[in-house]
């Protein structure tokens, strides 16, 4: 195994390359769809599932982003289909599922990762249109996408929702975003009950991960250090941390786990 040295708060820790860590192909012969998966956590999840043998279907609102991500994954030897899909667009949701089934004939894994956070306004100053956008994209779209996907899910299939540590502790600058992520914790429970016994439904709640979506964490060193200090492990999470947790819940290794919310946040307190 080749080691990659990463400096965190003046200390070195060893992070094994994802492709070199994985010795098993838990998703061989399976088809996985991942929303909002051309960058950040979504792309890392798609890559992890693909490296483990899945045929992955990725999506983004922009064709350019889809094309670039498809090329990245293909270069890693991953079987991938890219589809433009804004999860709040009914026709694009239908096309996303239709194109998946036309190419692969089934769906085994659904990872609902798409989310927006268009405001930092206090809740009582947030425009109704923004409240609607947050709810429709972060919560409602997951239900509507699963309505389209459900007829094609195989026995033993798995759904993983991507929530956030903000769902347990909504911050003042992103309060409604946090509330929508809280809703996903409950949605996980409700869907798990409804889709059992043939389909398991679980949720990953990431902590602070320096992605483009969460650039506010890393662009200011003071903010970054404050985020690190909230964790017991004294570091931010990585995309690979989130992908590994998602792959576990989606795999048969978690075959007796459903309706659960897995916090992957380095020890940040996470109880409502």
């Amino acid at each position: 195994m080749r080691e990659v040295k990463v400096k965190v708060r003046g200390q070195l820790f060893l992070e094994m390359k994802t492709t070199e860590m994985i010795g098993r192909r838990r998703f061989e012969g399976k088809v996985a769809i991942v929303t909002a998966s051309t960058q950040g956590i979504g792309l890392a999840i798609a890559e992890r599932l693909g490296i483990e043998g899945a045929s992955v279907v990725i999506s983004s609102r922009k064709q350019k982003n889809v094309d670039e991500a498809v090329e990245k994954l293909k270069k890693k030897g991953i079987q991938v289909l890219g589809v433009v899909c804004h999860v709040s667009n009914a026709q694009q949701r239908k096309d996303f599922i239709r194109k998946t089934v036309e190419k692969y004939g089934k769906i085994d894994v659904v990872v609902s990762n798409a989310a927006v956070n268009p405001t930092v306004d206090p809740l009582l100053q947030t425009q109704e249109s923004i409240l609607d956008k947050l709810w429709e994209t972060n919560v409602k779209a997951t239900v509507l996408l699963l309505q389209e996907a459900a007829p094609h899910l195989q026995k033993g299939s798995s759904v993983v929702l991507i929530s956030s540590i903000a769902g347990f502790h909504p911050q003042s600058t992103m309060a409604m975003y946090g509330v929508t992520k809280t809703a996903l914790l409950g949605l996980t429970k409700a869907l798990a009950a409804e889709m059992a016994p043939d389909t398991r439904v679980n949720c990953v709640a990431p902590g602070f991960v320096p992605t483009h979506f969460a650039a506010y964490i890393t662009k200011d060193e003071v903010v970054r250090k404050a985020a690190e200090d909230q964790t017991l492990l004294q570091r931010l999470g990585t995309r690979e941390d989130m992908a590994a947790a998602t792959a576990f819940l989606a795999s048969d290794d978690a075959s007796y786990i459903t309706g659960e919310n897995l916090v992957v946040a380095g020890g940040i307190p996470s109880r409502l």
Side-chain angles (χ1 to χ4, degrees), residues 63-134:
Q63 185 70 56
K64 178 177 180 291
N65 293 346
V66 170
D67 293 342
E68 290 175 354
V70 165
E71 287 306 306
K72 288 178 183 177
L73 295 178
K74 282 184 175 179
K75 287 179 180 178
K76 297 177 182 289
I78 293 170
Q79 173 65 240
V80 57
L81 170 67
V83 180
V84 172
C85 180
H86 189 315
V87 294
S88 293
N89 183 302
Q91 187 58 53
Q92 290 186 11
R93 286 193 305 269
K94 292 178 184 294
D95 290 343
F96 187 33
I97 301 303
R98 176 180 58 79
K99 290 179 180 179
T100 298
V101 175
E102 284 179 353
K103 185 170 180 65
Y104 297 114
K106 64 171 185 171
I107 301 171
D108 298 287
V109 176
V110 177
V111 180
S112 181
N113 175 62
V116 295
N117 182 35
T119 184
V120 293
D121 291 335
L123 274 174
L124 299 184
Q125 296 177 24
T126 302
Q127 296 178 10
E128 183 176 0
S129 61
I130 298 298
L131 294 173
D132 289 344
K133 182 176 182 178
L134 280 156

Side-chain angles (χ1 to χ4, degrees), residues 140-202:
K140 182 179 173 182
T142 292
V143 178
L144 296 176
L145 181 70
L146 287 173
Q147 287 178 357
E148 296 291 337
H152 309 288
L153 288 171
Q154 304 300 291
K155 186 174 183 179
S157 58
S158 178
V159 174
V160 182
L161 311 186
I162 307 300
S163 180
S164 169
I165 191 66
F168 294 91
H169 303 286
Q171 300 176 15
S172 60
T173 56
M174 48 193 295
M176 190 60 196
Y177 169 84
V179 170
T180 62
K181 292 300 187 176
T182 307
L184 292 183
L185 307 180
L187 184 60
T188 297
K189 302 287 187 183
L191 288 171
E194 183 167 327
M195 301 181 79
D198 292 338
T199 299
R200 296 181 300 105
V201 184
N202 291 291

Side-chain angles (χ1 to χ4, degrees), residues 21-41:
M21 287 174 57
I22 302 167
R24 294 182 295 162
R25 290 172 66 84
R26 295 177 292 185
F27 300 98
E28 195 75 55
K30 295 189 176 183
V31 177
I33 65 175
V34 186
T35 63
S37 46
T38 60
Q39 61 181 357
I41 291 173

